[in-house]
Amino acid sequence: MDTSQAQLLGRWRAELPGRSAPVLLQLTPHPELRESVHGTLQRDGTTVLLSGDVDQGQLTLEESTDGKHISANWLGTVQEGSCGKEIRGTWNSDTTPPISIPFVLRKQAPE
């Protein structure tokens, strides 16, 4: 399934095993890269910056806690039959030792 940048725009809720509180993402058009997105993620009361894109159904989001360095990556696949509203993959931290956690992203209805 081919998913476009426009389908990524909006609010997403991330489900990660072991987390009781939701992780919320807000994605908007990237100001400099036409087919990319950027935005924020809310986790444990902290706002994290995001930037990424989707290419042939493969999502790549880079997460940055300081706006300069990549602190984690979201690598996922748009689920067939979801109309671009569900993405499953793995969140990978840039820590020592690295942490990998499976995730499910679900698009939220506009408020």
Side-chain angles (χ1 to χ4, degrees), residues 4-5 22 24 46-47 59 72 74 77 84 90 95:
S4 70
Q5 175 250 28
L24 301 174
T46 303
T47 300
L59 171 77
W74 298 72
T77 303
T90 306
T95 58

Side-chain angles (χ1 to χ4, degrees), residues 31-51:
E32 298 166 2
L33 304 172
R34 202 178 103 176
E35 294 299 317
S36 297
V37 295
H38 79 149
T40 57
L41 171 149
Q42 298 292 320
R43 178 178 52 225
D44 301 328
T46 303
T47 300
V48 177
L49 300 175
L50 296 170
S51 183

Side-chain angles (χ1 to χ4, degrees), residues 56-97:
Q56 296 182 359
Q58 300 299 307
L59 171 77
T60 303
L61 283 177
E62 294 175 341
E63 185 178 306
S64 177
T65 55
D66 65 5
K68 298 177 184 175
H69 304 94
I70 297 170
S71 53
N73 288 293
W74 298 72
L75 304 172
T77 303
V78 176
Q79 297 303 290
E80 194 168 326
S82 74
C83 299
K85 295 182 179 179
E86 183 175 307
I87 301 170
R88 292 178 180 261
T90 306
W91 176 86
N92 302 291
S93 75
D94 194 22
T95 58
T96 303

Side-chain angles (χ1 to χ4, degrees), residues 19-34:
R19 295 195 55 85
S20 57
V23 175
L24 301 174
L25 293 77
Q26 178 70 46
L27 299 176
T28 59
H30 196 288
E32 298 166 2
L33 304 172
R34 202 178 103 176

